[in-house]
């Protein structure tokens, strides 16, 4: 069996599918039951941000009478299977049994966990479609899906015709016959899409990007409100995963939403009704501060393996006590964060903030979206140029940290209003800024990490029982982090010069002035 | 990819029945199998209910103007494909004779299939010809059914000599007793003696059974319609020996 597949949905529930097919194909082809009807439970898995779907892949856990199986399939015919071995979801790909499936998934999902996206019970009957020699020229599969999640619902029967090798022409003819039948719709939705649709969902819906469509002439306040509402959606979407500690990206996306919101409140305060930004900025600062300890420890742990591999005078195993200490501390901080996200204070903030955003109306007077965007981005850009130009080789680290914050504000404002600008020009501006941000990010992260290693070493020593080899290895680790920090500091001048060059500035001004209507 | 040929100088000895059943059993064992029907009588093609027609005929296949791959048909059984016969295969000797290095031609044509199949069965017409030389050159293992009579044993010796006389690559030979009539004392006697005396004769043997003849009526391998029969068990025993020998 191989070759092209024809998919159909059968919408006329009154008629039995095999009978309809038999009548449609007679007398040229006969329909012969092939295998016993079997029922399986299908659970579709993907990361929260649909990394497999975006790569054109579908992962399923299939359970039935035999052993549970994981099946990864792609549109280009790729298919990898593996025993599920009692896998429990959510799970990181690295926790799956070793083999080609795990290797393929690890590369795609990285730090994101696989979690159930949809569930259904599937009853499949298979039939041979035979020519007048009794030769099977195609296989007909009839699948009845009963969706269990996101909603409980019966779906219309799904038919697929697969040509036997060398009989594609006859399979195409069969497909044409079926398409002509009342109630048979060609090219039915893929099973995952059909099951998700029972809950009004579609694959690939979540993104952490600020993907709002603005128009240049809409009131600036409403444009900012749309951005803030989108950020709140993302924030809320990531709360459950952060509380349940599914993977580290939930907290990352939640934290970025908070930061973006704080930037929007700071730079766009003038567009909002008097006092609104002032009222909510402390609340979002509280929220942002809540996320910092866990995220810092996540970064430590995520880069731990790479750092351990760099050690020169110690063995990676020497860092085990340090790793255990970080893990314990993270568990404590994560529990604290989860408590806060379940607290009445947090829930009240989210409800009140959404109400406030929903209540915003267009002001009598005020800038339109293009003018507002130009003002916000222009001001953020000027601040980066001013603070960056003032930095010399002797400047203290705090000056670079402040500049990093200004760069983030500029980056976020560019993202808020991206839909107003020519995409290639916008992408180039972001790319040029990103070069500077990466350098400043590495510099500050390395400083924070070195300081944390020092603090933790002191705490571990005070707690007692820490082997000298662990402290020496931590010193070795700090030294490598220090080298990276110095490299980043050395690169700063050239990175900033590239960003602040006259052509780059002219491109930037042209971008902001050229908002699309 | 292992290439196995069912071949004998004599005709009507059970070559096609063996090729069809062994190919089916190999596929049922999870191997990706191709059976190539090189006999213009197209018996294997008929048994798999495929029409005996190849676009461009044998000339297009042998000269390589039509990819072998495109002529292959799926059978009704998972993992088992068929290269159907065509009536023009009666001229394969002449077509081969027109090519450069004709005895190596078949091996070269099969080479691109090595990623797609684990095992290829060549079901050959009887006789000694340029085609049989090309088949022996391509094959790793020759499966020779022999009816246990004195004359057939002589034919086995001729086949052994023929293989020994080949230049370059020489396939391994595994003969097996076929169409044994248990009512005939000589059949029983030779069928017992041969495997004991010769290493190139399999212990498993195929009796003459009406169920095997019924394959032509049912148009399917015997294992599919009579899985517990003596015929099916005999082919299973033979497959176990063939699989061990083919490696």
């Amino acid at each position: 069996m191989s070759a092209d597949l024809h998919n159909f949905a059968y919408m006329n529930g009154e008629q039995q599918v095999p009978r309809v097919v038999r009548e449609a194909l007679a007398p040229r082809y006969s329909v012969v039951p092939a295998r016993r009807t079997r029922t399986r439970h299908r659970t579709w898995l993907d990361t929260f941000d649909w990394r497999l779907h975006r790569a054109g892949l579908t992962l399923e856990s299939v359970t039935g009478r035999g052993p549970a199986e994981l099946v990864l399939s792609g549109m280009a015919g790729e298919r990898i299977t593996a025993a599920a071995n009692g896998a429990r979801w959510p799970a990181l790909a690295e926790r799956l049994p070793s083999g080609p499936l795990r290797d393929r998934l690890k590369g795609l999902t990285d730090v994101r966990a696989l979690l159930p996206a949809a569930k259904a019970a599937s009853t499949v009957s298979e039939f041979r479609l035979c020519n007048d020699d009794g030769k099977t020229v195609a296989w007909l599969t009839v699948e009845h899906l009963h969706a269990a999640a996101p909603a409980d619902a019966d779906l219309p029967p799904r038919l697929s015709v697969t040509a036997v090798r060398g009989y594609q022409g006859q399979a195409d003819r069969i497909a044409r016959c079926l398409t002509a039948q009342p109630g048979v719709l060609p090219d039915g939705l893929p099973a995952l899409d059909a099951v998700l649709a029972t809950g009004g969902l579609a694959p690939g819906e979540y993104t952490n990007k600020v993907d709002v469509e603005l128009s240049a002439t809409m009131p600036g306040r409403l444009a900012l409100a749309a951005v803030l509402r989108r950020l709140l959606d993302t924030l809320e979407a990531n709360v459950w995963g952060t509380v349940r500690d599914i993977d580290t990206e939930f907290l990352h996306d939640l934290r970025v939403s908070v930061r973006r919101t704080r930037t929007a409140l700071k730079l766009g305060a003038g567009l909002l009704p008097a006092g609104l930004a002032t009222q909510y900025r402390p609340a979002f600062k509280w929220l942002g501060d809540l996320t910092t300890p866990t995220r810092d420890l996540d970064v430590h742990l995520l880069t731990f393996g790479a750092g351990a591999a760099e050690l020169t005078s110690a063995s990676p195993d020497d860092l085990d006590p340090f790793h255990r200490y970080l893990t314990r501390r993270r568990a404590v901080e994560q529990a604290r964060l989860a408590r806060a996200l379940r607290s009445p204070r947090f829930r009240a903030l989210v409800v009140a903030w959404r109400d406030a955003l929903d209540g915003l109306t267009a002001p009598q007077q005020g800038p339109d979206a293009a003018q507002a965007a130009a003002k916000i981005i222009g001001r953020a850009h000027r601040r980066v140029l001013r603070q960056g130009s003032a930095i010399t080789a002797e400047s203290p680290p705090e000056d670079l940290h402040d500049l990093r914050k200004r760069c983030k504000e500029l980056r976020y404002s560019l993202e808020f209003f991206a839909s107003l600008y020519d995409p290639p020009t916008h992408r180039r501006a972001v790319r040029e800024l990103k070069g500077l941000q990466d350098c400043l990010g590495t510099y500050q992260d390395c400083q924070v990490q070195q300081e944390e290693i020092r603090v933790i070493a002191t705490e571990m020593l005070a707690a007692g029982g820490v082997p000298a080899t662990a402290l020496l290895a931590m010193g070795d680790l700090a030294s490598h982090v220090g080298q990276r920090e110095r490299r980043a500091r050395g690169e700063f001048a050239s990175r900033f010069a590239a960003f602040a060059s006259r052509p780059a500035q002219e491109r930037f001004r042209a971008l902001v002035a050229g908002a699309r209507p | 990819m292992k290439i196995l040929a069912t071949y004998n100088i004599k005709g009507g000895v059970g070559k096609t029945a063996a090729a069809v059943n062994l190919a089916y059993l190999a596929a049922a064992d999870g191997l990706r199998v191709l059976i190539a029907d090189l006999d213009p009588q197209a018996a294997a093609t008929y048994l798999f209910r495929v029409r005996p027609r190849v676009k461009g005929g044998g000339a297009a296949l042998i000269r390589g103007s039509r990819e072998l791959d495109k002529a292959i048909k799926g059978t009704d059984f998972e993992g088992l494909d068929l290269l159907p016969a065509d009536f023009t295969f009666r001229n394969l000797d002449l077509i081969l004779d027109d090519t450069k290095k004709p005895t190596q031609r078949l091996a070269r044509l099969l080479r691109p299939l090595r990623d797609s199949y684990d095992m290829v069965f060549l079901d050959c017409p009887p006789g000694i010809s340029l085609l049989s030389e090309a088949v022996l050159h391509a094959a790793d293992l020759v499966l020779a059914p022999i009816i246990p009579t004195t004359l057939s044993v002589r034919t086995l010796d001729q086949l052994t000599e023929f293989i020994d006389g080949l230049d370059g690559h020489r396939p391994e030979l595994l003969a097996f007793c076929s169409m044994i009539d248990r009512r005939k004392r000589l059949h029983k006697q030779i069928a017992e003696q041969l495997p004991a005396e010769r290493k190139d004769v399999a212990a498993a043997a195929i009796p003459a059974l009406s169920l095997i003849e019924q394959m032509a009526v049912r148009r399917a391998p015997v294992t599919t319609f009579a899985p517990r029969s003596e015929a099916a068990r005999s082919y299973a025993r033979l497959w176990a020996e063939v699989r061990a020998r083919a490696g």
Side-chain angles (χ1 to χ4, degrees):
Chain A
M1 274 205 301
S2 65
D4 290 345
L5 190 74
H6 296 278
N7 289 313
F8 309 93
Y10 182 65
M11 309 303 286
N12 189 354
E14 302 296 309
Q15 297 283 326
Q16 288 291 311
V17 176
R19 193 171 142 203
V20 170
V21 174
R22 201 166 278 128
E23 284 168 8
L25 302 183
R28 195 157 184 168
Y29 300 100
S30 53
V31 181
V32 182
R35 289 176 197 141
R36 202 183 302 167
T37 297
R38 60 190 195 280
T39 299
R40 301 170 307 163
H41 294 277
R42 302 173 69 178
T43 301
W44 287 267
L45 300 151
D46 208 327
T47 62
F48 186 64
D49 54 0
W50 297 98
R51 292 184 184 193
L52 301 183
H53 173 76
R54 287 184 212 288
L57 296 165
T58 307
L59 177 66
E60 275 185 65
S61 165
V62 182
T63 55
R65 294 186 68 183
E69 197 179 31
L70 289 171
V71 182
L72 180 74
S73 47
M75 281 182 281
E78 180 181 3
R79 186 179 161 89
I80 310 176
T81 60
N85 283 355
R88 295 173 69 110
W89 314 105
L92 290 169
E94 66 187 28
R95 296 280 167 86
L96 297 176
S98 62
L101 181 73
R102 185 180 76 172
D103 295 346
R104 182 83 170 98
L105 289 174
K106 262 173 73 178
L108 290 161
T109 57
D110 194 22
V111 295
R112 293 238 71 160
L114 290 162
L115 57 153
K119 292 181 182 180
S122 148
T123 305
V124 174
S125 312
E126 277 183 309
F127 301 86
R128 295 172 182 274
L129 303 178
C130 300
N131 63 14
D132 50 13
D133 282 327
K135 169 79 183 81
T136 309
V137 295
W139 292 83
L140 169 72
T141 307
V142 182
E143 183 180 32
H144 292 266
L145 278 174
H146 178 89
D152 193 71
D154 271 322
L155 274 75
R158 303 163 55 75
L159 282 63
S160 65
V161 173
T162 314
V164 170
R165 180 172 185 172
Y167 294 91
Q168 188 63 48
Q170 299 198 44
D172 293 345
R173 196 173 304 138
I174 287 168
R176 282 197 296 276
C177 283
L178 290 180
T179 312
Q181 296 307 302
V184 175
L185 300 182
D187 297 324
L189 281 177
L192 170 60
D193 299 46
V195 175
L196 282 172
T198 61
L201 305 173
E205 274 190 337
Y206 174 80
T207 170
N208 60 3
K209 298 196 167 38
V210 194
D211 58 345
V212 281
E213 272 304 314
L214 307 175
S215 77
T217 52
M218 73 192 290
R221 175 183 289 177
L222 296 190
L224 188 64
V227 168
L228 286 166
R229 212 176 286 117
R230 180 75 188 83
L231 294 174
L232 181 57
D233 291 342
T234 308
L235 188 156
E236 285 196 290
N238 284 286
V239 170
W240 73 276
T242 307
V243 169
R244 290 183 59 198
D245 202 13
I246 305 274
D247 65 44
T248 55
E249 285 302 282
F250 281 98
L251 173 58
H252 173 264
D253 285 4
L254 185 147
R255 185 170 157 81
V256 170
S257 299
V258 173
R259 277 189 178 160
R260 284 170 169 159
T261 302
R262 292 177 67 191
T263 297
L265 287 174
K266 179 181 173 187
L267 301 181
L271 293 170
L272 298 171
L276 188 65
T278 319
Q279 182 189 345
Y280 279 96
R281 280 176 66 184
F284 280 100
K285 180 178 185 316
W286 165 74
L287 194 49
D289 290 347
L290 266 181
T291 62
T292 301
T294 311
R295 179 60 195 170
D296 283 352
L297 289 160
D298 278 346
V299 172
H300 251 309
L301 287 164
L302 289 169
T303 57
F304 198 89
E310 277 184 351
L311 296 181
T312 44
S313 61
S315 149
D317 294 344
D318 294 343
L319 285 173
D320 285 351
F322 179 43
H323 192 272
R324 281 197 296 275
Y325 186 89
L326 288 174
T327 309
R328 272 200 307 273
R329 252 191 63 185
R330 188 194 175 277
V332 172
E333 292 300 342
Q334 164 64 25
R336 203 193 314 268
L337 172 64
R339 267 199 307 279
L341 292 177
R342 283 195 295 252
S343 68
R345 181 179 176 185
F346 174 72
R347 281 201 300 276
L349 165 64
V350 168
V351 170
W353 180 229
R354 190 170 289 283
D355 285 348
L357 292 175
D358 288 346
L360 286 178
T361 52
Q364 295 286 339
Q365 283 184 325
D368 63 20
Q371 291 164 336
K375 192 172 172 191
I376 288 172
I377 297 172
R379 193 194 300 154
H381 186 230
R382 284 193 298 279
R383 280 181 180 169
V384 170
L385 290 177
R386 193 171 56 242
Q387 289 196 13
S389 307
I391 289 174
T392 64
E394 287 74 39
S395 296
E398 291 72 28
D399 287 3
L400 282 94
H401 299 170
D402 278 347
L403 178 62
R404 186 189 183 193
K405 288 181 193 163
R406 301 293 86 75
C407 285
K408 275 191 172 157
E409 288 168 0
L410 175 58
R411 174 81 172 269
Y412 293 156
S413 15
L414 279 168
E415 288 168 352
F416 298 158
F417 301 107
S419 61
L420 297 176
Y421 302 113
D422 171 51
T425 319
H426 183 267
R427 272 199 297 275
R428 181 165 186 180
V430 170
R431 199 167 55 239
E432 285 174 347
L433 174 59
K434 191 172 176 300
L436 178 59
Q437 277 189 291
D438 288 347
C439 172
L440 289 166
T442 306
Y443 176 68
Q444 189 179 1
D445 287 349
C446 289
Q447 282 212 325
V448 170
Q449 276 188 22
Q450 285 179 91
E451 180 54 27
E452 280 190 347
I453 291 170
R454 270 191 287 274
V455 170
I456 291 170
T458 311
E459 286 172 4
M460 287 167 71
L461 203 57
V466 57
T469 48
L471 293 172
L472 287 168
M474 288 167 74
D476 193 349
L477 187 66
S479 146
H480 283 283
V481 175
Q483 282 172 21
R484 270 206 304 281
E485 179 213 312
R486 284 189 291 281
R487 263 200 309 276
R489 183 66 180 87
E491 281 172 15
F492 169 75
S494 63
R495 295 276 187 147
F496 182 76
F499 175 79
S501 69
R502 187 169 294 276
Q505 286 195 45
E506 278 167 11
R507 276 196 298 274
F508 206 92
R509 274 192 281 274
L511 168 80
V512 177
R516 296 185 297 182
Chain B
M1 183 177 82
K2 292 286 178 189
I3 300 176
L4 283 66
T6 50
Y7 171 68
N8 198 329
I9 299 165
K10 262 173 76 65
V13 294
K15 288 189 298 291
T16 298
V20 165
N21 283 294
L22 293 175
Y24 171 81
L25 289 165
D29 262 5
L31 301 182
R32 297 167 301 162
V33 180
L34 173 71
I35 176 165
D37 188 356
L38 302 178
D39 189 340
Q41 292 181 72
T45 305
Y46 177 81
L47 289 177
F48 285 115
R49 299 169 185 261
V50 175
R51 288 174 193 167
R53 198 170 50 235
V54 171
K55 207 171 173 183
L61 278 188
I62 296 293
R63 291 186 189 128
S65 57
R66 181 180 166 77
E67 287 169 40
L68 199 61
D69 197 54
K70 286 184 181 154
I72 292 171
K73 302 278 188 189
T75 69
D76 288 9
F77 309 106
E78 201 172 328
L80 178 55
D81 290 343
L82 170 84
L83 174 68
D86 186 279
F87 195 53
T88 59
F89 285 8
R90 69 190 188 281
N91 299 322
L92 282 182
D93 274 329
L94 296 172
I95 300 164
L96 276 172
D97 203 25
D98 269 356
T99 61
K100 280 186 197 166
K101 298 183 181 171
T103 55
Q104 293 173 28
R105 187 76 193 157
L106 191 57
R108 204 159 55 237
L109 284 169
L110 292 171
R111 213 166 290 147
L113 301 178
R114 63 185 165 221
D115 291 335
S116 308
Y117 296 101
D118 302 309
M119 195 165 270
V120 175
F121 284 86
L122 304 174
D123 185 28
C124 310
I128 295 182
S129 63
L130 194 52
L131 173 63
S132 39
E133 269 193 70
V135 164
L136 296 177
H137 193 90
D140 299 298
L141 179 64
V142 173
L143 301 170
I146 47 166
I147 299 174
T149 62
T150 314
L151 281 177
S152 292
V153 174
R154 212 177 140 258
T155 315
L156 178 61
D157 291 334
Q158 284 175 334
L159 179 58
T160 311
E161 270 175 41
F162 182 42
I163 291 175
D164 288 346
L166 290 173
D167 288 334
H169 169 81
R170 287 186 200 117
E172 199 184 338
L173 174 67
L174 182 67
F176 60 94
C177 290
S178 173
M179 301 173 76
I180 303 166
D181 185 343
R182 284 176 179 152
R183 291 166 305 178
K184 293 181 180 168
R185 194 190 304 161
L186 187 65
H187 269 215
K188 283 175 73 177
Q189 194 182 333
I190 294 177
E192 279 166 18
Q193 277 175 358
L194 264 185
E197 288 170 1
R198 297 182 61 143
K199 280 185 178 168
D200 57 359
V201 179
I206 308 298
L209 293 166
S210 63
L211 261 182
I212 296 175
E213 286 173 24
Q214 274 196 34
M215 283 171 58
V217 181
R218 309 289 285 261
R219 298 183 74 177
V222 71
T223 310
T224 63
F225 61 85
R228 291 194 189 88
S229 63
E230 173 59 21
R233 288 204 301 273
S234 301
Y235 281 118
R237 283 193 291 272
L238 179 60
W239 164 240
E241 272 190 74
V242 169
R243 178 155 200 177
R245 195 69 76 98

